[in-house]
Amino acid sequence: MAVTIAKERWTSKVAEEAYGSQGIKVGGETTLPFLQFEGEIPNRPVTALEVFDTEPKDYPDMLREAFADVITDPVAWAKKVVEYGADMVALRLMSAHPDWNNASAQDVAKTAKAVADAIDVPLIVIGCGVEEKDGEILPVVAEALEGKKALIGCVTANNYKSITAAANGYGHYVIASSPLDINLCKQLNILINEMGLPLDRIAFDPLVGALGYGIEYAYSIMERARMGALTGDKTLATPIVAFIGQEAWKAKEAKDADAPEWGPQGDRAILWEVTTATTFAIAGANIFIMRHPESIKKFNAFVDEAMKSNAY
Amino acid sequence: MGLTGLEIFKQLPKKNCKECGQPTCLAFAMQLAAGKAGLDACPYVSDAAREALDSASAPPVALVKIGVGEKAFELGNETVMFRHDKRFEHPTGIAIQVSDNMSADEVKAKVDKVNKLVFDRVGQVHEVNMVAVANDSGDAAKFADTVKLVQDNTAYPLLLTSGDAAAMEKALEIAGVNKPVVNAADAGNYEAMVALAKKYEAPLVVKGSDLNSLAETVEKIAALGYKNLILDSGARELSKVIADQTQIRRQALKLFRPFGYPTIAFANNDDAVMESLYASTYVAKYAGIVVVNSAEPEHILPVITLRLNIYTDPQKPIAVESKIYEILDPGKDAPVLITTNFSLSYFCIAGDTEAARMPAYIVPVDTDGISVLTAWAAGKFSPESIADTIKKLGIMDKVNHNKVIIPGGVAVLSGQTAELTGCEVLVGPRESAGINSFFKQQWNQ
C-alpha cells in the first residue's frame, strides 16, 4: 500500500547570517533539523575550536596535548585550529578576567586583532565571562576588529548596551546568552534589536549543559526555538550557538583519565564532546564551539551523513 | 479515542433492545463516545465490531513487552513527537550484537562484557537491555548453538536475527520460552515467521524495504491476527533512518494503524565512535530498540546517559531529600557543604568530595529539585532558605566549628547568609570538580 508521507507546512525560516569577510553562512533552514523531505537546509552546521589568549589553567592533559606546542601563543594556536579544519576560530579573552591577569581592554583588543589578521576564517570573540568586565573590553575589541564581521559575545541582559552599540557601529554580530529560558531569550533579542541591531545580526546561546549534566533542558529549548522560528516568530529565528567544549570537558566522564569502569579515556572523552554536539545538532543548533580537534572530525563525519537528502 | 457516536453506531447490532440500559442503540453509541458506558453492556455486539472498536480506541503506539523475569522491559505507548509536549514514556532498549560466526570463546567473552555494562548515574543503576544474536553464518545449527550459549551466559532478553524461518524455529526451540524478539518477518517469509512468533507469543519485527512495503507487510500480518509487532523500515543510513523514524512516529500519532508499533534501528558501523553517535541519535529520534556492535563501556556509557537525559520527565526534576548527608563518616571538625536538592547538583558534589577522600557533611537546601544557578535565579536558593535549612536540620550542632561552604556560583549570597546564620561563610569553587583543591588550599591549611 502506498503510504502518504506526512509533511508539515512551515510558514517561515531561520535567519541566514554570513560571518567574516569570507562570508561563511549559517541558518536559513525552512525545516526541522535534517528533515530535508519537507524543507530546505541551505547551510550545514559549522564548527569552531577554542583558543585562549593566555594559557588555560584547567585543560585536562588530553586537550593540552593536542595544542602543546602552541598553547602559550594565541596566534600560533589559532593557525593550528584552522589546520585542524575548524570553520571558525573562537578566541576566549580569559586574560581579562579579574582572577586571571585582569588584562586591559587595549591589551586583549591587540591580541584579538593579531589573531584575526593571522587567519583566513571568521573569528568568534568571547569575553572572560564577568559581565561588567566584558561590557568594558568587548566594545574596544569590536573597534579593533572593524571590518572583520566577527561574532562577539557573550551579551547578557546586564551588559548588552555597550557591546551591542559597538557591534552595530563596527559591523559585527553578537552572541546573546540567556539561561535556558525561551522567554528570556526572546526578551534579550528584543532589547538588542531595539538598540538598532537587526535580528539577523544576533545568534542565540541558550547556555547549554553537557551530556549527563542537563543536556535535556537545552535540547528542549532548542526544539522550541526552532518550532518558533518555523512558525513565524522572528525573535526566535536567530541561529543557535552551543558552547560544547566548555561544558563537555567539565564532565568527569571526559576529564578522568583513570576510570576503568568507563573504559579508556580516548574514545570516551571524544564521545562526551561529540555526543553533546550531535544531540544539539538534531535539536537545531547551528554553530558548535568545541575544544578537541578529533571532535570536529567526528562531528563533521556525522553531519556529512545527516545532510544527505532524505526526500521521499 | 476519537470515535464519534455515529461511527460507533454503525458497528452496533441496531436491535434497540434496551438491554444495555439505554433507550436506543444510537443513544448507547452516544454514551460510549462520551466514555460514560462500556461496550460490554451490549450482549449482542459481534466480535468483528468489538475488534474494530477496540482497535480504534487503542493507543497510537502499541505497548510491546520483551523478555520475561527481572530483565523484561516494555516499549511503545508513546504519544508525542517532542518531549517538551509531554514526555517520552519508555526508554529505548539497547541491544548489543554477537554473531554466530564468532567462536564460542569470543561469544562468551563478549556476553561477559555486556553483563558488565552497568552504570551508576545520579544514584540509579542503568544498563543495556538485550543481547542480539545474528545468524550471519546462514547455518541453522550454528545459530541454535550460539543462541544457547548466549542464553546460558546472560539474564538479558535476546533478539534473534535470521531471515530463515527454519533457523529461527531451531533457535526458538531453545530460547522461545523467554519471549525473545523474532527478527524479522518480511514480504517473503512473513507467514512462517508469524506462525513461529504466535507459537511462542514472542514480539515480531516486521521489516520492509521502504515505508510502503513495511505498511503492506504489517497489514498482511495484522490480517493473520498478530499484533505483537516492532517496525523496521529497512533504512540503514543516518539521514534516512531519521526521516523514516520521524514518519513512523508522526503517522502513528495521526492513527495510521500499520505504523502504530514501536520501532527498531540498527546503528552498526565499523567505526565504534560513529556507531555510538548514531545510536544516541536514534535514542533521541523515536527508536524503541537500537542495536549496536560495540560492547565497550566508553562507547555505551554516552548512549545510556543520553537515554536517561532524553527520557527524563521534563515536568519532574529529580530531587533528593533535604537532610544532612554524611560522606565518609565525618567527625566534629568536618566541613559543611551547602548545595541544592537537584539530584545532579547533590551527586556531583557528593562524588567529588568522596573522590577527594574528605569526610564532610553535605546539606542540600530544598529548591524543588532545581540546580544551584537556576534556583538562585528563581529566588529559591537565597540567604533566607539557606539559613532556614541550617537551622531546621541542626547541622551546626554536629560540628565544633562555625563555618559553612557555599557554591562559588552564588558567592554574592555570602554576606547576607553570614548575617542571618551567624556562621562564617566560605565561598567554594564554582564547579564541584574544584572541591579537592579547595579542601587542600582553604580547609586543611
Side-chain angles (χ1 to χ4, degrees):
Chain A
M1 73 191 290
V3 172
T4 314
I5 297 302
K7 294 184 188 174
E8 300 282 350
R9 267 187 222 117
W10 303 113
T11 53
S12 193
K13 62 178 190 171
V14 178
E16 190 173 67
E17 305 187 350
Y19 308 127
S21 40
Q22 308 78 2
I24 284 199
K25 286 186 182 169
V26 303
E29 53 269 39
T30 60
T31 178
L32 291 172
F34 307 125
L35 301 189
Q36 289 96 336
F37 65 78
E38 65 188 13
E40 302 294 319
I41 304 177
N43 303 300
R44 58 184 271 149
V46 298
T47 59
L49 284 179
E50 280 186 36
V51 171
F52 278 56
D53 69 340
T54 181
E55 187 175 354
K57 289 177 180 173
D58 54 356
Y59 261 31
D61 290 344
M62 203 179 135
L63 268 181
R64 196 171 280 273
E65 276 158 23
F67 303 104
D69 49 339
V70 293
I71 203 155
T72 54
D73 177 354
V75 170
W77 187 350
K79 285 183 181 164
K80 184 136 195 167
V81 156
V82 178
E83 269 172 45
Y84 278 143
D87 301 313
M88 296 195 267
V89 170
L91 177 68
R92 194 181 274 275
L93 304 172
M94 277 317 285
S95 70
H97 196 292
D99 293 350
W100 289 46
N101 312 347
N102 205 11
S104 71
Q106 281 68 30
D107 285 350
V108 295
K110 223 168 114 188
T111 312
K113 174 90 166 61
V115 169
D117 287 342
I119 56 174
D120 54 7
V121 300
L123 186 65
I124 301 172
V125 188
I126 308 152
C128 64
V130 176
E131 289 171 333
E132 306 79 50
K133 186 73 192 262
D134 286 349
E136 281 170 36
I137 62 168
L138 291 177
V140 182
V141 171
E143 184 183 356
L145 295 178
E146 182 170 11
K148 300 281 186 190
K149 295 185 183 167
L151 191 53
I152 295 180
C154 294
V155 174
T156 68
N158 296 327
N159 69 7
Y160 72 93
K161 284 186 181 156
S162 63
I163 305 172
T164 301
N168 204 358
Y170 298 107
H172 302 298
Y173 297 77
V174 300
I175 300 175
S177 298
S178 39
L180 287 177
D181 185 317
I182 202 99
N183 295 316
L184 292 178
C185 154
K186 281 171 66 110
Q187 196 182 335
L188 182 57
N189 284 353
I190 290 167
L191 289 172
I192 292 171
N193 184 231
E194 277 174 355
M195 290 192 63
L197 191 71
L199 284 166
D200 63 6
R201 295 259 296 277
I202 304 173
F204 161 45
D205 159 30
L207 290 167
V208 303
L211 176 63
Y213 297 85
I215 195 173
E216 70 273 25
Y217 293 92
Y219 182 81
S220 288
I221 294 287
M222 286 183 196
E223 286 196 327
R224 290 176 59 191
R226 278 296 155 265
M227 306 279 286
L230 296 179
T231 51
D233 186 339
K234 297 286 176 213
T235 59
L236 288 174
T238 60
I240 297 174
V241 186
F243 285 90
I244 306 288
Q246 166 193 304
E247 296 303 316
W249 286 94
K250 273 189 219 163
K252 279 190 286 194
E253 292 84 346
K255 269 192 313 200
D256 227 333
D258 181 32
E261 73 278 17
W262 292 341
Q265 187 191 13
D267 279 3
R268 162 162 50 91
I270 295 304
L271 270 171
W272 221 261
E273 186 166 25
V274 190
T275 304
T276 302
T278 54
T279 302
F280 289 137
I282 59 172
N286 303 83
I287 302 164
F288 296 79
I289 303 182
M290 316 241 258
R291 287 197 170 164
H292 201 283
E294 182 65 16
S295 298
I296 56 171
K297 254 191 227 162
K298 294 294 184 192
F299 180 71
N300 278 325
F302 178 92
V303 172
D304 286 346
E305 287 299 315
M307 285 296 287
K308 287 183 179 165
S309 171
N310 51 27
Y312 286 97
Chain B
M1 154 158 327
L3 277 195
T4 66
L6 280 179
E7 282 166 329
I8 297 170
F9 176 64
K10 287 178 192 151
Q11 307 280 346
L12 295 180
K14 305 185 185 67
K15 290 166 77 92
N16 291 332
C17 64
K18 303 187 176 62
E19 286 183 42
C20 61
Q22 299 297 325
T24 63
C25 285
L26 182 57
F28 179 54
M30 293 301 169
Q31 292 297 99
L32 282 173
K36 288 178 180 159
L39 199 54
D40 291 341
C42 173
Y44 303 108
V45 66
S46 70
D47 284 351
R50 189 181 299 277
E51 167 83 24
L53 292 171
D54 275 354
S55 90
S57 63
V61 180
L63 187 72
V64 171
K65 290 178 188 169
I66 292 170
V68 293
E70 223 176 274
K71 304 281 188 195
F73 65 102
E74 294 178 339
L75 304 176
N77 243 355
E78 303 293 342
T79 56
V80 293
M81 297 298 296
F82 301 100
R83 60 187 289 284
H84 61 256
D85 284 339
K86 190 175 176 200
R87 67 181 158 267
F88 290 169
E89 300 286 346
H90 290 106
T92 308
I94 300 171
I96 310 242
Q97 182 155 287
V98 299
S99 164
D100 68 353
N101 272 332
M102 293 160 74
S103 74
D105 286 345
E106 286 170 331
V107 170
K108 264 178 102 169
K110 189 159 185 185
V111 172
D112 265 357
K113 272 192 177 167
V114 174
N115 290 335
K116 286 185 190 133
L117 291 174
V118 178
F119 304 100
D120 187 55
R121 274 213 78 84
V122 288
Q124 289 172 312
V125 169
H126 296 274
E127 54 189 8
V128 298
N129 308 87
M130 310 181 83
V131 181
V133 186
N135 182 207
D136 295 328
S137 71
D139 180 323
K142 243 180 158 178
F143 186 46
D145 287 348
T146 311
V147 168
K148 174 149 184 19
L149 185 62
V150 172
Q151 177 165 275
D152 289 347
N153 283 283
T154 189
Y156 290 119
L158 304 189
L159 183 141
L160 310 176
T161 302
S162 179
D164 174 8
M168 189 62 78
E169 183 164 19
K170 274 192 174 282
L172 282 169
E173 279 166 18
I174 293 156
V177 57
N178 292 322
K179 302 230 183 330
V181 176
V182 175
N183 179 34
D186 57 30
N189 69 9
Y190 73 91
E191 281 165 317
M193 287 291 185
V194 169
L196 286 172
K198 261 187 182 172
K199 180 173 172 193
Y200 292 98
E201 296 172 354
L204 175 65
V205 176
V206 186
K207 182 180 174 185
S209 52
D210 58 21
L211 292 177
N212 291 332
S213 79
L214 176 64
E216 209 167 286
T217 310
V218 170
E219 295 256 277
K220 286 178 186 161
I221 290 174
L224 295 174
Y226 206 62
K227 295 195 163 176
N228 192 7
L229 306 179
I230 296 168
L231 308 180
D232 173 6
S233 73
R236 295 295 181 267
E237 293 167 339
L238 178 70
S239 77
K240 195 73 191 139
V241 176
I242 294 173
D244 281 1
Q245 291 284 337
T246 303
Q247 281 298 322
I248 291 173
R249 172 68 63 88
R250 247 188 215 173
Q251 304 213 12
L253 299 186
K254 291 176 197 268
L255 297 185
F256 178 64
R257 285 298 166 195
F259 287 169
Y261 304 94
T263 58
I264 185 169
F266 294 81
N268 314 125
N269 191 299
D270 292 339
D271 181 327
V273 170
M274 295 311 290
E275 177 181 277
S276 176
L277 293 171
Y278 287 12
S280 289
T281 302
Y282 303 158
V283 163
K285 287 291 162 194
Y286 318 126
I289 297 174
V290 61
V291 183
V292 297
N293 267 320
S294 174
E296 304 301 329
E298 66 272 26
H299 303 135
I300 301 300
L301 179 63
V303 184
I304 286 190
T305 308
L306 186 67
R307 176 179 69 177
L308 167 66
N309 291 161
I310 292 289
Y311 281 83
T312 298
D313 186 342
Q315 286 147 22
K316 232 192 281 166
I318 308 171
V320 296
E321 194 189 337
S322 174
K323 61 170 194 179
I324 299 171
Y325 291 85
E326 301 188 348
I327 305 292
L328 301 173
D329 199 11
K332 288 235 155 228
D333 52 357
V336 174
L337 305 165
I338 308 290
T339 183
T340 73
N341 76 331
F342 178 39
S343 62
L344 207 54
S345 303
Y346 168 75
F347 284 107
C348 279
I349 185 75
D352 284 316
T353 304
E354 214 170 290
R357 304 193 168 282
M358 185 70 180
Y361 297 98
I362 299 181
V363 180
V365 173
D366 185 351
T367 56
D368 296 331
I370 58 178
S371 70
V372 170
L373 288 175
T374 319
W376 171 66
K380 288 179 178 169
F381 195 47
S382 61
E384 290 78 15
S385 68
I386 294 172
D388 282 353
T389 307
I390 288 173
K391 201 172 144 209
K392 191 182 75 198
L393 297 177
I395 175 65
M396 300 322 284
D397 303 338
K398 292 201 164 235
V399 292
N400 59 14
H401 59 77
N402 194 28
K403 296 173 187 158
V404 297
I405 301 167
I406 64 170
V410 290
V412 291
L413 302 183
S414 59
Q416 217 186 334
T417 305
E419 260 176 50
L420 288 174
T421 58
C423 294
E424 182 183 342
V425 177
L426 305 181
V427 176
R430 290 183 70 93
E431 303 296 332
S432 70
I435 198 80
N436 191 14
S437 58
F438 174 84
F439 286 144
K440 276 186 200 147
Q441 290 161 16
Q442 305 207 35
W443 189 261
N444 284 339
Q445 301 125 334

